[in-house]
């Protein structure tokens, strides 16, 4: 199956498989059947087999899956065997929290720079980095070749900044602004993140619990 024909929902399940297999590995599992994996993950065994078949033959009839080999393969599919240089734009509340709390290395990224326009933040430490002025963005990118960017700026600044970043060689955006970035350029990846959408989904689920009394 060509990579382009793999459905978005399969791709979105891969990080969960990867995380789950890591937990199994830490708990001493060497191999697991698709049935056992399905029970633990709350998916059907055929769903799991179909998902993995998109990428090749991972399991063996009668043996199941070797946990660490499968995790390694899924990691490769996710690109976690590389470290992609990444920069952060906006060193405010969210930018600080992300820089301090996300384990970039285990997710295939290396956070190499942080930028802001606020004079009071420039030169301050954020995670393990010193905040730089956005005026340095072009020269920094020319020298260090970051490929991905995190957008933690106000919504109004997102589009213009994204265009500048693309001209500096950025090919992937982890976009936290509420501006739904749909980059008009080919060959640029965008992941829009809305924590609020997740909370709204929780509200829906809460209001539709089977057997719950309707108020
Ligand atoms: P904040 O105001 O604390 O930080 C924003 C920072 O961006 C400021 O330090 C500001 O100086 C800087 N900035 C403004 N224009 C810039 C530019 N052109 N280049 C570089 N830096 C620039 O705001 P906060 O709370 O950190 O939120 C950041 C963004 O994330 C906002 O757009 C907010 O709406 C959004 N947000 C999204 C969430 C989500 O789930 N997607 C959750 C929380 C916030």
């Amino acid at each position: 199956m060509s990579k382009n024909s793999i459905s978005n929902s399969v791709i979105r399940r891969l990080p969960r498989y990867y995380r789950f297999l890591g937990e199994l590995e830490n708990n001493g599992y060497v191999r697991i059947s698709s049935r056992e994996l399905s029970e633990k993950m709350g998916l059907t065994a055929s769903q799991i087999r179909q998902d993995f078949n998109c990428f090749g033959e991972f399991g063996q009839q009668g043996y199941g899956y070797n946990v660490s080999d499968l995790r390694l393969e899924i990691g490769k599919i996710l690109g976690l065997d590389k470290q992609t240089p990444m920069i952060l734009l906006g060193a405010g509340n969210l930018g600080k929290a992300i820089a301090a709390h996300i384990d970039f290395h285990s997710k295939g990224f290396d956070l190499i720079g942080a930028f802001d326009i606020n004079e009071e933040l420039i030169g301050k430490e954020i995670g393990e980095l010193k905040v730089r002025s956005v005026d340095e963005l072009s020269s920094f990118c020319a020298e260090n070749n970051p490929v991905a960017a995190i957008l933690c700026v106000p919504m109004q600044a997102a589009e213009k900044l994204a265009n500048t970043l693309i001209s500096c060689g950025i090919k992937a955006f982890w976009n936290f602004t509420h501006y739904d970035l749909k980059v008009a350029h080919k060959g640029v990846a965008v992941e829009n993140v809305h924590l609020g959408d997740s909370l709204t989904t929780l509200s829906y689920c809460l209001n539709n619990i089977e057997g719950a009394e309707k108020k």
Side-chain angles (χ1 to χ4, degrees):
M1 197 178 281
S2 86
K3 274 193 180 171
N4 289 339
S5 63
I6 294 165
S7 78
N8 201 28
S9 44
V10 175
I11 295 164
R12 295 206 169 266
R13 277 195 289 276
L14 290 181
R16 185 158 174 250
Y17 286 127
Y18 184 78
R19 183 163 42 82
F20 236 87
L21 289 161
E23 284 166 20
L24 290 174
E25 208 176 5
N26 289 340
N27 288 325
Y29 277 74
V30 175
R31 70 169 160 152
I32 191 158
S33 67
S34 42
R35 189 185 49 78
E36 212 181 340
L37 189 57
S38 70
E39 279 165 8
K40 287 188 185 298
M41 293 190 68
L43 295 167
T44 66
S46 91
Q47 172 87 82
I48 288 179
R49 279 193 296 270
Q50 270 176 34
D51 284 356
F52 294 166
N53 281 347
C54 296
F55 299 98
E57 288 293 313
F58 291 143
Q60 269 176 38
Q61 195 88 41
Y63 176 87
Y65 301 101
N66 177 294
V67 172
S68 65
D69 288 354
L70 181 59
R71 183 167 181 267
L72 205 69
E73 287 304 321
I74 293 177
K76 277 191 210 157
I77 294 163
L78 289 167
L80 306 185
D81 51 339
K82 306 186 269 287
Q83 292 286 299
T84 300
M86 189 176 216
I87 53 175
L88 170 74
L89 283 299
N93 293 314
L94 188 60
K96 270 186 212 134
I98 285 175
H101 298 296
I102 297 287
D103 177 7
F104 287 91
H105 283 273
S106 73
K107 311 283 181 279
F109 290 93
D110 185 14
L111 188 63
I112 59 167
F115 298 84
D116 206 290
I117 52 167
N118 183 343
E119 294 291 338
E120 285 176 19
L121 293 175
I122 295 164
K124 294 254 163 67
E125 305 235 327
I126 176 171
E128 291 172 357
L129 299 167
K130 270 215 164 73
V131 178
R132 296 167 188 264
S133 162
V134 272
D135 297 343
E136 291 177 41
L137 191 56
S138 302
S139 59
F140 180 92
C141 291
E143 208 170 302
N144 299 283
N145 303 309
V147 179
I150 313 168
L151 293 185
C152 289
V153 295
M155 186 178 174
Q156 309 80 279
E159 191 174 15
K160 187 163 175 244
L161 194 54
N163 287 329
T164 306
L165 288 161
I166 290 168
S167 69
C168 290
I170 294 297
K171 292 193 165 37
F173 290 92
W174 199 23
N175 174 34
F176 285 85
T177 74
H178 294 302
Y179 175 75
D180 253 322
L181 197 64
K182 286 187 195 75
V183 179
H185 301 256
K186 276 201 169 164
V188 176
V190 177
E191 180 68 14
N192 293 310
V193 184
H194 297 290
L195 296 177
D197 286 0
S198 172
L199 189 57
T200 314
T201 308
L202 179 66
S203 164
Y204 174 84
C205 295
L206 174 66
N207 286 291
N208 290 276
I209 294 174
E210 237 172 272
E213 223 172 90
K214 295 256 183 310
K215 293 211 173 133

